[in-house]
Amino acid sequence: MIKKLTFLAIILSFCVNAQKSLISDFQKADILLKTNNIDSAYFKFKILEQTIPKTDTLYKYSLWYYTLTTSQLEYENRLNEKFDKSLKLGIEALAAIEKGIPLFDAEFAKRKYFMIKNIVVSNFGLGDFNEGKKWKEKLYQAKEKKELPKGLDESFNFDFFRFENKNIWAYEWFHPLPKDRFSSTFTKVVYYVYSTDENGNDKDQLYRFHVLMFHGSNLNFDYVLTKKIETAQNESSGTLYAYTYKEDIDFAQLQLDIKEVLKGNLNPNIRKLQNQK
């Protein structure tokens, strides 16, 4: 009996010391986070999330901060066009979010679809449009089920890149192309062009490119690219008839077209991607 009690005491002592060690590691990770050492904090919280038993109350905190730091690093890499890293981190963050959904509130659960949107952007940044389309379909399915949170329920960011000190953001609207081409003005995609400050952040919206429904019947295309500039007094627009698209938009071609127009190539003789097919 004495031997059993001694063995139990050893086990309990080990558990207490292990718990103290985990708490100490958590506190170190927290200090790193508070001092903005996100990379180091991320690695520590990642190890803690994998090490701490899920029954331990400390597990929820480690998962929360692991998700937070992974998401922050995903964001930073994506905005710096390091899309290989942001894609890896985005998929990792999504897995962490899905672990946390049963543990946290509905506000936390909203992160899932925002991270899916980020993964779309990373795939587009890498030029992997087929993979990006697969992730986009997850958003469309969630839209159909009315699961998307506010801020994603009407449109979503799917592409981002920088061009000559400008930030280029692309958004796609969920609504399908209207059958009646004269019913209304309809835009499926908008590329917003922003000037930037000294830190590379958005400053002023300079203009935008709309993938605009063509008001008429044409077997060759359904949308036409239109440049719009808005001032305090009015809005002006110009249609770029050299750049047209079918209902099932070729997004690889569209991204290349936007880059060509940004270079000033408004009337190409042959569109490059189409010439490569």
Side-chain angles (χ1 to χ4, degrees):
M1 182 66 178
I2 293 173
K3 288 183 178 180
K4 288 184 178 179
L5 288 173
T6 303
F7 179 72
L8 180 60
I10 292 171
I11 294 296
L12 288 173
S13 176
F14 174 79
C15 291
V16 169
N17 289 331
Q19 175 70 1
K20 286 181 179 178
S21 176
L22 290 173
I23 291 172
S24 175
D25 286 344
F26 183 91
Q27 290 171 336
K28 290 174 183 176
D30 188 46
I31 290 169
L32 288 168
L33 182 60
K34 287 176 179 176
T35 54
N36 208 34
N37 291 302
I38 306 297
D39 276 291
S40 298
Y42 154 73
F43 284 113
K44 282 193 174 292
F45 283 123
K46 181 176 182 177
I47 292 170
L48 283 165
E49 190 277 328
Q50 294 171 345
T51 305
I52 298 172
K54 291 181 173 56
T55 53
D56 193 314
T57 53
L58 195 60
Y59 175 76
K60 286 179 65 175
Y61 294 99
S62 67
L63 177 60
W64 176 277
Y65 286 110
Y66 168 49
T67 305
L68 179 71
T69 52
T70 309
S71 300
Q72 179 62 28
L73 290 175
E74 183 280 330
Y75 169 79
E76 291 175 4
N77 279 280
R78 179 164 39 88
L79 286 198
N80 285 297
E81 298 181 275
K82 297 177 181 178
F83 296 116
D84 53 342
K85 291 184 179 179
S86 64
L87 178 59
K88 179 180 177 295
L89 287 161
I91 292 172
E92 189 176 327
L94 179 61
I97 291 166
E98 289 178 333
K99 284 183 182 179
I101 288 174
L103 303 177
F104 302 115
D105 59 15
E107 198 64 29
F108 180 90
K110 292 178 182 178
R111 300 178 182 213
K112 173 180 177 178
Y113 292 113
F114 282 101
M115 192 54 64
I116 288 174
K117 176 268 296 180
N118 295 342
I119 291 170
V120 173
V121 175
S122 292
N123 276 295
F124 268 68
L126 290 169
D128 194 343
F129 300 98
N130 289 331
E131 187 65 20
K133 183 178 181 180
K134 292 176 185 177
W135 286 94
K136 266 208 259 182
E137 286 171 358
K138 294 179 187 292
L139 295 176
Y140 273 88
Q141 290 165 7
K143 169 70 173 177
E144 188 69 24
K145 296 175 183 177
K146 299 181 179 179
E147 294 176 349
L148 292 176
K150 189 173 181 180
L152 276 182
D153 54 336
E154 293 296 331
S155 64
F156 60 94
N157 170 222
F158 69 89
D159 196 9
F160 168 79
F161 59 90
R162 287 196 168 99
F163 177 82
E164 294 182 350
N165 297 321
K166 298 180 184 69
N167 285 342
I168 319 299
W169 298 87
Y171 283 78
E172 178 176 342
W173 271 254
F174 286 107
H175 302 291
L177 181 70
K179 292 182 180 179
D180 184 354
R181 299 301 171 83
F182 297 95
S183 60
S184 63
T185 298
F186 176 77
T187 293
K188 183 62 178 176
V189 170
V190 178
Y191 272 82
Y192 296 91
V193 181
Y194 282 86
S195 63
T196 56
D197 61 19
E198 62 276 8
N199 296 315
N201 300 313
D202 293 346
K203 187 178 179 182
D204 299 309
Q205 185 187 131
L206 302 176
Y207 46 89
R208 58 193 190 273
F209 296 104
H210 287 235
V211 178
L212 192 67
M213 177 177 69
F214 179 66
H215 287 272
S217 178
N218 192 306
L219 297 177
N220 296 317
F221 63 90
D222 301 293
Y223 294 105
V224 61
L225 194 64
T226 301
K227 182 178 180 180
K228 297 198 175 191
I229 303 174
E230 189 173 349
T231 65
Q233 290 75 31
N234 56 32
E235 180 180 83
S236 60
S237 65
T239 302
L240 308 177
Y241 283 106
Y243 296 99
T244 58
Y245 310 91
K246 297 289 289 181
E247 182 175 2
D248 184 13
I249 299 170
D250 183 339
F251 281 93
Q253 178 69 64
L254 173 60
Q255 186 192 77
L256 184 60
D257 289 346
I258 295 296
K259 291 178 179 180
E260 284 298 304
V261 173
L262 287 168
K263 294 174 186 175
N265 192 6
L266 303 182
N267 295 290
N269 293 323
I270 300 175
R271 290 158 75 185
K272 289 184 180 178
L273 194 62
Q274 288 181 349
N275 195 38
Q276 293 168 2
K277 292 179 181 179

